[in-house]
Amino acid sequence: MKNSTYIHSINLQNKEELKRQIFKTLDFYYPTCMGYEKGGYINGFLVDGSVNDTATKHLVATIRYIYNFSIGFILGGKS
């Protein structure tokens, strides 16, 4: 397939690999996800990381950001 994306399988038994994947995911979204102008978090991302919607806010996605950033901090990530 011409535009297919390679998806790396993750060994769910390897704690260090899981930790690297968490930080890779957080790095993908942060700091672009911060909605400085309108508050909250930006949820409209394309696969390449570009933003396609800054106005729509989703409660579930916002809670995911809060949870994921909290876990990242607990695992020793940036404050």
Side-chain angles (χ1 to χ4, degrees), residues 10 15 22-23 37 46 59 62 64 67:
I10 301 169
K15 290 181 182 181
I22 290 168
F23 290 129
E37 291 181 23
L46 298 174
L59 179 60
T62 297
R64 283 186 186 139
Y67 177 81

Side-chain angles (χ1 to χ4, degrees), residues 1-2 9-10 13-14 17 19 24 34 36 40 42 46-47 51 54-56 58 61 63 66 68 72 76 79:
M1 293 173 40
K2 189 174 184 178
S9 63
I10 301 169
Q13 302 300 316
N14 185 320
E17 189 173 345
K19 192 174 177 179
K24 182 178 175 183
M34 303 303 291
Y36 294 112
I42 295 170
L46 298 174
V47 175
V51 175
T54 60
T56 305
H58 299 279
I63 292 168
I66 293 167
N68 290 336
S79 56

